[in-house]
Amino acid sequence: RPACSSWTSLRYSRLLLVGENNALLILWEIIMRKFTRLIMVLALSVLSCSVMAADRTVDISQFAFTPVVEVPVGTKVIWINQDQVNHSVIGDAGIFSSGPLKPGDNFSHTFTAAGTYAYHCGYHAYMTGVVVVK
């Protein structure tokens, strides 16, 4: 056997020692191994991103928001009006605003940067909440 530094170079040296048909099979095997590794890396990347950015729901109920919501960057927060009156979700810094939310309506915002985002209801100023994005 020839001296080789890796499995791939060992397989490549075998190409020189075998016939054309076997050489093509060995080449195909090398290509498929590399392709399979690439697919596995991409699949793990997609899975890890989707786990990090799961949606988070905030119920608007009994004239209150969930007081503090902590989420990772990239998370979509969905507010759902569970009360029998209109509410709204307005970011104190003006970054997001829902407009009127009738009973059963929802509003969502995806947080793309870390920070602390205070918000309130435009109809009921005492209704406040905070989203902390890490």
Side-chain angles (χ1 to χ4, degrees):
R1 289 185 183 172
C4 299
S5 60
S6 72
W7 184 86
T8 304
S9 56
L10 174 65
R11 296 301 249 176
Y12 179 73
S13 0
R14 284 188 62 206
L15 291 177
L16 303 175
L17 303 174
V18 296
E20 262 184 58
N21 290 337
N22 287 337
L24 289 175
L25 288 174
I26 293 169
L27 207 71
W28 178 253
E29 181 181 322
I30 292 168
I31 292 168
M32 289 310 295
R33 282 181 186 260
K34 294 198 181 283
F35 180 72
T36 302
R37 286 186 193 134
L38 176 65
I39 294 299
M40 289 173 63
V41 167
L42 290 174
L44 288 173
S45 298
V46 168
L47 287 174
S48 64
C49 289
S50 65
V51 168
M52 288 177 46
D55 293 351
R56 178 71 188 268
T57 301
V58 175
D59 286 332
I60 305 170
S61 179
Q62 299 178 0
F63 292 86
F65 298 110
T66 303
V68 176
V69 177
E70 289 189 17
V71 298
V73 172
T75 300
K76 178 168 62 170
V77 176
I78 305 166
W79 290 266
I80 302 172
N81 184 1
Q82 304 287 351
D83 273 337
Q84 297 303 312
V85 298
N86 287 359
H87 289 294
S88 64
V89 179
I90 302 171
D92 291 356
I95 296 173
F96 55 90
S97 180
S98 67
L101 294 175
K102 298 176 186 169
D105 284 354
N106 67 69
F107 165 73
S108 67
H109 178 78
T110 301
F111 291 88
T112 57
T116 300
Y117 300 88
Y119 62 91
H120 62 277
C121 174
Y123 294 98
H124 313 98
Y126 58 88
M127 290 178 60
T128 61
V130 176
V131 176
V132 178
V133 182
K134 295 183 177 187

